[in-house]
Amino acid sequence: MKDLFEIIDKPQNFPYCPGCGHTSIDMALARAIFELNLEKEDVLIVSDIGCVGLVDKLFNVHTLHTLHGRSTAVASGVKMVDEVLFDNKLKTIVMIGDGGATIGLLHLVESAKLNVDITVLIHNNFLYGMTGGQHSGLTPKEFKTSTTRIGNPFEALRIIDILKNSGASFYARTFSQDPDLKDIIKEALSHRGFSVIEVLELCTGYATRYNDLKGSDLKIILENSGGKIKEKIERESFCFLYKNKFFDKKGEFEFTEIEVEKKIELKDSLKIVIAGSAGEGVQLASSLLCISAILGGLNSTQKNDNPVTVGSGFSVSEIIIKDGDIKYTGIEEPDYLIITSIDGLKRAKGFIERSKNIIIDESLTDNKNFIKVPARKYIKLRGGPTYFSLGVLFGKFNPFDFELYEKAILKYGKAKDETLTCFREGLNFGRRL
Amino acid sequence: MKIFTNGGELIAKGAIDAGVRFFAGYPITPASVIYEPMMRDLPKVEGIAVGASDEISAISYCIGASLRGIKSMTATSGPGFSLMIESLSYAIMSEIPITIVLAQRLGPATGGATTSSQGDLLFSAFSSSGSYPLPIISPSSIEECYELIIHSVNVSEFLRTPVVFLTEKEITMTKKSIDLNSLKKPEVLERKYFSGNGQFKTYNFKDLKDVPDFSPVGGKFLTRYTGSAHDKKGELKKDDPEVIEVLYHLKEKILKNIDKFLFYEYFEKKSDILIVSYGVTSESVREVAESKKVSYLILKTLYPLNEEFLKSIFGRYKKILVVEENIMGNLYILIRHLLGTKGYSLTKIGSLISPGEIKNFLESI
Ligand code: SF4
């Protein structure tokens, strides 16, 4: 790298208003890149929206102009890949204003937390320049803008404190005319991990219009608002941990694989609805029913329904078992309806009229046409009422080989011994009916 | 070997087989069933799966990852998709390949998290500001998730565009026994990289329909990516004819190339009636056709549509019934100008449309 102007266009070509702090920051960044002897191809400038977003065409490096506030998140996506899957050589610099920093605050917080290896330069000129000098979240108290003519009534967000507390491993705060700015940027760029520099600067287009301010006042504003800061902490990054911990385990996609044990005959399709309470193991017991059919060379589908919560309200599984292709997975007329709880009963109302056989916990009904079983006696075992009721179904109706369900429990179930006992008690109960 | 799985897992497996090596997610029913297996299984092939702090971060991470040169995907449902659409527009404008799985649930707003629905076709098709075309691909069965997610990633890479993979709760979450060997694996396509011949411009094309050669940020050719109106070099410009040309190119690139990715299933019987459907409702339609004298057309490329192709099929029928699980008749609205007085719309929300309901409707027309 021979010449600074290989990195940056000449200052007279800058698109900003004369005296705008952005020019000083861009020059300091260019000098930092130059002095670090970085290759142009190894530098990426990610710019946000606002006057700060005009930076792209000034720099002869990779540039990426993003949406308002999203620069940090997009830069982090680039950098996660660069660090984990490539050689981690790409210096990624986010150029963001006070608008972008507040609209995208969560992205800054998250990237600081994950310690993503990017450098964020927050151009804090206390207002929104490009859109006419409106106040921002970083406008100091009493500061005048086009939308706070008598002075901003609120304190500014202390963005560096927020990011420090979010885990930024390098954070600094200074102002655009600070002669150290270039060196601070150099340090930030050399730091491995999330680095952020808040640079106070003046918008000569608007800040000086509403406030009696000169460039030299910036130093006073800085000192009155916490002063110059520069801290560095060594901390592991998400990407480092990811690469070193997550890539250990190579392997195949984890499907639930089932080896067909034998081919059983089934003339018509079987439609079974199981309605119980969420958190009572209905869905696993239903899955095992599907699996038992697959073990027998049949096809099956399981369509589940539950409210948003997984531990309260109803839980319903609609199961179709067929020797052949299953298309529509809903059930209109169940061959068997199992109801194990009051939640299930309420939810299954629509099915009751249309079901051929109903197996229901004895506490829930007096109806003589239903098969009443002591299912809830087994509530201590997760899924107990369903395993017992399924046992009854197999014991009384023998839809197909009950041993396949036992095999499904043994291979894919949980608390296998208890589950098996419960199912067998149901089986015996059903056989006696 | 048989597997007992759901559409969500098949989408995850298909995406990995399509070469997706970056996934960012935020949990939402019914798309969490894609997020979870991606977090579990992507690291095993040295891919990155990351939980984002919200859906905007998720899609933004994907955009960044794709720009670095890695195939990227996210998955969400209506509420999350609503948050993503600003970035989706960005990906259209800056020609960044990403695949977004939109697992529909009952809307509007938070709607019904665990209730299936097909209400987001029009929403996603016209979700970009400026209304630029966005390819939408939709599986019509659980097993098809595998094949069509690979096609979706292909379209996204090949055309340098975001693609919406539109599916539903009853596809992503319903479990089914599936023969692993029966899954169809299409050829995997890659985005075309700039070879180093001639001058590199980030958005270079000769013909409006050309897809510009890609070069990653951090690669050996300096890139200028932007979501603002730009020339072929990627420089922000306003009053410049080349900027308008680039914008027309965004349309032509999709409309003139999408026919390479026209996926559908046409079942022809000697009949006066054609049923048109997509997504989960297609399974009911297939079942109806087993016992009724009807033909059906199941659309899997849902947007943009090839109207000439549709007209050539519609011309053969006296009555055309569009069946879908939403309140406005999304697909019906998209194609009704091709149907004229032949068109009928059967819609419903709250639960799947059963074969019986379709048969009853057929009796009434
Ligand atoms: S309006 Fe303000 S921020 Fe924008 S260029 Fe002018 S001085 Fe700089």
Side-chain angles (χ1 to χ4, degrees):
Chain A
M1 182 91 53
K2 292 173 225 87
D3 188 343
L4 178 61
F5 295 115
E6 278 192 24
I7 314 167
I8 193 161
D9 214 343
K10 294 184 178 58
Q12 58 265 36
N13 294 342
F14 277 36
Y16 316 117
C17 304
C20 174
H22 292 4
T23 308
S24 320
I25 300 175
D26 289 357
M27 286 307 293
L29 173 63
R31 291 203 178 95
I33 294 171
F34 177 69
E35 287 182 17
L36 287 172
N37 218 0
L38 299 174
E39 298 294 333
K40 305 190 280 269
E41 294 78 15
D42 293 336
V43 179
L44 166 65
I45 291 183
V46 184
S47 62
D48 211 89
I49 298 295
C51 298
V52 73
L54 300 172
V55 64
D56 311 30
K57 56 179 152 200
L58 298 174
F59 278 81
N60 199 19
V61 299
H62 287 283
T63 63
L64 167 51
H65 181 55
T66 64
L67 293 164
H68 204 18
R70 311 302 163 213
S71 48
T72 317
V74 174
S76 297
V78 171
K79 208 44 214 180
M80 285 179 199
V81 169
D82 189 61
E83 188 169 347
V84 179
L85 302 181
F86 292 104
D87 52 10
N88 198 17
K89 255 170 73 182
L90 187 63
K91 291 286 175 203
T92 302
I93 303 137
V94 174
M95 302 289 259
I96 194 168
D98 36 348
T102 47
I103 207 173
L105 186 57
L106 186 56
H107 304 309
L108 283 164
V109 165
E110 190 70 10
S111 295
K113 183 186 102 180
L114 300 177
N115 204 14
V116 183
D117 187 16
I118 58 175
T119 299
V120 182
L121 295 179
I122 301 177
H123 299 55
N124 181 5
N125 57 13
F126 317 123
L127 49 71
Y128 301 146
M130 187 174 254
T131 48
Q134 297 87 353
H135 73 287
S136 77
L138 304 189
T139 306
K141 196 169 179 181
E142 312 297 353
F143 199 84
K144 297 190 180 97
T145 70
S146 67
T147 47
T148 53
R149 297 289 173 113
I150 56 165
N152 185 32
F154 307 108
E155 293 289 351
L157 268 182
R158 299 171 77 94
I159 190 120
I160 280 296
D161 288 351
I162 295 173
L163 297 177
K164 169 189 163 184
N165 290 321
S166 307
S169 54
F170 180 104
Y171 54 93
R173 189 165 185 265
T174 186
F175 65 112
S176 56
Q177 285 124 327
D178 182 352
D180 296 340
L181 180 58
K182 175 205 66 185
D183 288 330
I184 300 174
I185 296 176
K186 270 171 80 177
E187 244 190 279
L189 285 176
S190 309
H191 174 73
R192 281 272 173 232
F194 182 84
S195 55
V196 55
I197 309 170
E198 181 189 8
V199 188
L200 305 192
E201 49 150 319
L202 273 193
C203 166
T204 46
Y206 294 104
T208 49
R209 183 186 296 183
Y210 299 110
N211 303 278
D212 187 16
L213 280 176
K214 309 182 286 302
S216 53
D217 294 333
L218 273 174
K219 206 172 172 187
I220 303 164
I221 300 178
L222 177 72
E223 260 143 35
N224 290 343
S225 60
K228 195 164 157 174
I229 303 173
K230 200 186 76 184
E231 292 291 342
K232 190 176 160 159
I233 298 135
E234 287 305 327
R235 198 162 73 79
E236 273 178 339
S237 71
F238 162 77
C239 293
F240 178 84
L241 291 172
Y242 198 95
K243 200 171 177 168
N244 289 290
K245 291 214 166 125
F246 286 41
F247 283 179
D248 276 3
K249 209 178 133 212
K250 302 270 176 308
E252 292 292 311
F253 193 91
E254 275 171 48
F255 280 122
T256 304
E257 296 184 347
I258 299 145
E259 203 81 65
V260 176
E261 296 237 331
K262 59 176 171 185
K263 183 76 184 93
I264 54 175
E265 300 292 321
L266 190 73
K267 237 175 74 220
D268 300 315
S269 67
L270 267 176
K271 293 180 176 160
I272 303 168
V273 176
I274 304 178
S277 288
E280 290 185 7
V282 170
Q283 294 189 7
L284 177 62
S286 302
S287 288
L288 293 176
L289 181 61
C290 291
I291 289 173
S292 66
I294 303 169
L295 287 169
L298 304 170
N299 283 321
S300 55
T301 56
Q302 180 186 358
K303 175 166 121 57
N304 294 320
D305 191 15
N306 58 277
V308 200
T309 47
V310 290
S312 68
F314 64 84
S315 178
V316 173
S317 285
E318 291 171 50
I319 297 145
I320 302 178
I321 295 170
K322 197 175 163 185
D323 196 355
D325 206 22
I326 304 167
K327 295 185 176 82
Y328 175 65
T329 55
I331 295 178
E332 265 72 56
E333 291 168 3
D335 299 305
Y336 304 99
L337 170 63
I338 291 176
I339 301 172
T340 61
S341 76
I342 186 86
D343 293 319
L345 178 63
K346 279 190 207 146
R347 177 63 182 75
K349 278 233 161 75
F351 285 115
I352 289 177
E353 290 270 291
R354 295 179 267 126
S355 297
K356 294 193 187 98
N357 303 288
I358 298 173
I359 299 170
I360 186 168
D361 182 79
E362 57 198 9
S363 68
L364 301 172
T365 183
D366 299 325
N367 193 318
K368 286 200 186 67
N369 298 322
F370 296 173
I371 300 166
K372 291 188 277 297
V373 300
R376 292 199 71 77
K377 220 175 89 187
Y378 299 87
I379 189 67
K380 276 217 179 85
L381 172 68
R382 195 178 161 90
T386 313
Y387 294 117
F388 182 83
S389 304
L390 280 170
V392 174
L393 195 160
F394 275 96
K396 175 154 173 63
F397 299 100
N398 195 26
F400 58 89
D401 197 343
F402 74 91
E403 281 171 353
L404 289 170
Y405 195 81
E406 296 192 343
K407 280 193 176 142
I409 292 174
L410 289 171
K411 259 191 140 162
Y412 303 91
K414 286 187 185 141
K416 294 170 186 174
D417 293 341
E418 294 93 320
T419 303
L420 205 58
T421 312
C422 182
F423 176 73
R424 282 185 182 153
E425 284 184 28
L427 203 61
N428 290 332
F429 189 96
R431 282 178 180 146
R432 289 195 302 268
L433 284 174
Chain B
M1 180 65 76
K2 287 246 184 168
I3 51 172
F4 185 54
T5 189
N6 58 28
E9 280 202 325
L10 289 170
I11 292 167
K13 169 71 173 151
I16 291 173
D17 288 357
V20 168
R21 287 297 176 272
F22 186 91
F23 181 92
Y26 185 87
I28 187 167
T29 308
S32 297
V33 287
I34 301 150
Y35 178 31
E36 285 161 14
M38 284 310 250
M39 292 295 280
R40 184 190 67 201
D41 288 335
L42 202 50
K44 293 181 195 160
V45 292
E46 300 211 339
I48 307 173
V50 55
S53 51
D54 57 45
E55 287 88 345
I56 303 175
S57 304
I59 189 169
S60 301
Y61 290 164
C62 289
I63 286 172
S66 181
L67 282 169
R68 188 68 190 88
I70 295 295
K71 293 184 185 178
S72 305
M73 186 172 104
T74 183
T76 189
S77 187
F81 187 76
S82 304
L83 293 184
M84 287 181 179
I85 60 180
E86 185 197 20
S87 299
L88 186 86
S89 277
Y90 178 81
I92 292 176
M93 181 61 129
S94 30
E95 304 195 43
I96 302 169
I98 43 167
T99 304
I100 302 154
V101 177
L102 170 50
Q104 299 164 96
R105 64 192 224 183
L106 190 72
T110 6
T114 51
T115 304
S116 191
S117 173
Q118 296 184 286
D120 299 343
L121 171 57
L122 291 175
F123 173 41
S124 48
F126 300 112
S127 57
S128 88
S129 51
S131 42
Y132 284 77
L134 169 69
I136 299 177
I137 291 179
S138 176
S140 65
S141 69
I142 293 169
E143 43 274 63
E144 223 171 61
C145 286
Y146 178 78
E147 180 189 353
L148 282 170
I149 192 71
I150 298 176
H151 282 308
S152 299
V153 176
N154 281 351
V155 173
S156 140
E157 294 289 317
F158 193 76
L159 299 184
R160 266 184 75 172
T161 175
V163 167
V164 169
F165 183 83
L166 190 73
T167 181
E168 308 92 0
K169 183 247 167 185
E170 297 301 2
I171 292 280
T172 60
M173 293 184 73
T174 297
K175 292 183 178 175
K176 189 169 187 178
S177 56
I178 283 162
D179 189 347
L180 251 185
N181 301 325
S182 72
L183 297 176
K184 291 198 197 88
K185 186 178 176 196
E187 187 196 346
V188 171
L189 302 179
E190 306 296 334
R191 66 184 84 165
K192 202 162 151 257
Y193 278 72
F194 179 66
S195 64
N197 293 326
Q199 194 207 347
F200 176 74
K201 289 186 195 169
T202 306
Y203 300 107
N204 206 12
F205 55 85
K206 277 206 191 78
D207 207 65
L208 287 181
K209 70 168 194 323
D210 294 347
V211 180
D213 287 353
F214 175 83
S215 193
V217 293
K220 59 181 175 187
F221 308 103
L222 291 186
T223 55
R224 288 217 182 294
Y225 285 98
T226 179
S228 295
H230 53 265
D231 62 10
K232 291 180 184 175
K233 275 202 274 191
E235 282 181 10
L236 192 110
K237 287 238 171 77
K238 212 180 156 205
D239 297 316
D240 188 316
E242 195 171 295
V243 172
I244 303 298
E245 205 191 323
V246 170
L247 293 172
Y248 274 101
H249 145 80
L250 292 181
K251 172 191 157 203
E252 294 294 301
K253 165 183 92 163
I254 306 295
L255 295 189
K256 295 271 161 66
N257 290 309
I258 195 68
D259 282 358
K260 296 184 185 119
F261 305 98
L262 188 66
F263 306 113
Y264 63 92
E265 180 181 322
Y266 178 42
F267 170 82
E268 205 175 0
K269 232 185 216 176
K270 253 184 108 46
S271 64
D272 292 339
I273 299 177
L274 175 76
I275 306 180
V276 184
S277 194
Y278 64 99
V280 69
T281 308
S282 312
E283 292 283 40
S284 299
V285 172
R286 290 186 184 108
E287 219 165 284
V288 169
E290 283 175 356
S291 60
K292 281 257 172 194
K293 238 177 82 179
V294 289
S295 303
Y296 65 73
L297 176 65
I298 288 163
L299 296 175
K300 301 174 190 176
T301 305
L302 282 175
Y303 198 77
L305 293 164
N306 182 326
E307 298 200 348
E308 290 311 310
F309 163 75
L310 292 177
K311 271 193 252 172
S312 73
I313 290 184
F314 293 168
R316 301 172 202 169
Y317 299 92
K318 293 206 176 98
K319 289 175 181 174
I320 296 162
L321 171 60
V322 185
V323 191
E324 54 194 311
E325 198 188 328
N326 59 60
I327 207 159
M328 292 289 288
N330 279 221
L331 180 61
Y332 181 74
I333 288 173
L334 273 184
I335 61 173
R336 68 180 159 195
H337 62 290
L338 305 173
L339 301 172
T341 51
K342 296 200 269 188
Y344 297 84
S345 169
L346 170 57
T347 63
K348 177 192 166 187
I349 54 166
S351 60
L352 292 176
I353 301 175
S354 70
E357 285 167 318
I358 299 173
K359 283 184 200 164
N360 286 344
F361 193 87
L362 286 173
E363 302 293 321
S364 75
I365 61 173

